[in-house]
Amino acid sequence: IAIVIDPRFSWREVHIIIEKFHPLIRDAEFLSTFRGREFHDKISLASRIEFRSDERTLTSEEVDKIIQDLIKKLGEKFGAKLR
């Protein structure tokens, strides 16, 4: 996912929230930071999130719901928005 966020927040702060957010999130990896005029005073943080269950195959719907809820949480915590 890529989020638009205030640059005062670090990837590490975002990473902590992502990894603890849901038991099906197994890993989150930083990919890139992008600064551009279209973001004004914000930056874009891109990450790869790994979802996994040891008991079953995950559905697209449940992963989509986790991502949606995660974006909401990041918005509440950091004012982040999905890019």
Side-chain angles (χ1 to χ4, degrees):
I1 65 170
I3 57 170
V4 177
I5 192 169
D6 190 296
R8 67 188 164 131
F9 299 113
S10 70
W11 159 248
R12 186 73 195 134
E13 292 172 284
V14 173
H15 183 255
I16 289 167
I17 298 297
I18 292 172
E19 282 201 323
K20 293 180 179 181
F21 184 73
H22 197 280
L24 294 177
I25 294 177
R26 295 297 176 95
D27 188 31
E29 178 183 339
F30 172 77
L31 296 177
S32 65
T33 299
F34 180 76
R35 298 173 193 269
R37 279 183 249 146
E38 65 268 27
F39 303 128
H40 304 286
D41 59 344
K42 310 262 189 221
I43 60 172
S44 173
L45 291 178
S47 60
R48 180 191 61 79
I49 300 174
E50 179 183 335
F51 298 86
R52 187 174 62 233
S53 170
D54 294 333
E55 290 86 37
R56 61 191 171 80
T57 300
L58 303 178
T59 66
S60 296
E61 291 79 15
E62 72 184 311
V63 171
D64 289 346
K65 175 73 169 116
I66 295 168
I67 292 172
Q68 181 181 35
D69 293 345
L70 174 61
I71 296 299
K72 183 177 177 182
K73 175 71 172 182
L74 295 174
E76 292 167 358
K77 181 81 174 162
F78 305 112
K81 295 185 179 181
L82 187 64
R83 178 174 172 195

